[in-house]
Amino acid sequence: MNEAERIEKLTGEVAALNAFCLALIGAYPDRAELARHFNGLVESLTAQSLAMPVPELRLQGMRDFASGLQEAIRRYDELASAARSGSRPAADGTAQL
C-alpha cells in the first residue's frame, strides 16, 4: 500500500469513527456528564501529548476532532431542549420558535 492509499484508508477509518461517536452522543442519556467526562479526557490526552515530541499537525488534528465532537454534544443538547420546549430545530441545528 502506498502513502496515498494509506491516507485514503485512514480518512475512511476516521469518518467511520466520527459516525460512531455521533451515534453514541445522540444516544447518551446525560450529555452534560458526557461533555464533562470527554473534556477531561481531551485535556489529559493533550497534556500527555505535549510532554512528548509530537508533530504540531497531529496535535491540531486532535484538537479539531475533539472540537467537532464537543460541538456535536452541544447541538444534540440544543435539539433535545427544542424538542422538550416544542420549538422546532433550524436547518443549522439551532432551535427556532
Side-chain angles (χ1 to χ4, degrees), residues 55-96:
E56 182 58 35
L57 284 175
R58 183 181 302 172
L59 291 172
Q60 188 59 49
M62 288 171 28
R63 289 183 200 112
D64 291 348
F65 195 80
S67 293
L69 292 176
Q70 290 163 335
E71 176 64 18
I73 293 170
R74 187 189 63 74
R75 282 194 322 259
Y76 272 102
D77 274 345
E78 287 176 355
L79 291 172
S81 293
R84 284 191 300 272
S85 69
S87 62
R88 68 176 206 281
D92 67 356
T94 59
Q96 289 183 344

Side-chain angles (χ1 to χ4, degrees), residues 43-58:
E43 288 177 19
S44 176
L45 180 60
T46 301
Q48 289 172 3
S49 296
L50 291 174
M52 300 181 287
V54 176
E56 182 58 35
L57 284 175
R58 183 181 302 172

Side-chain angles (χ1 to χ4, degrees), residues 20-43 66 68-77:
F20 180 72
C21 290
L22 293 175
L24 288 176
I25 291 167
Y28 204 83
D30 185 353
R31 279 184 286 279
E33 176 58 29
L34 176 64
R36 282 189 295 278
H37 186 69
F38 179 67
N39 291 338
L41 290 172
V42 167
E43 288 177 19
L69 292 176
Q70 290 163 335
E71 176 64 18
I73 293 170
R74 187 189 63 74
R75 282 194 322 259
Y76 272 102
D77 274 345

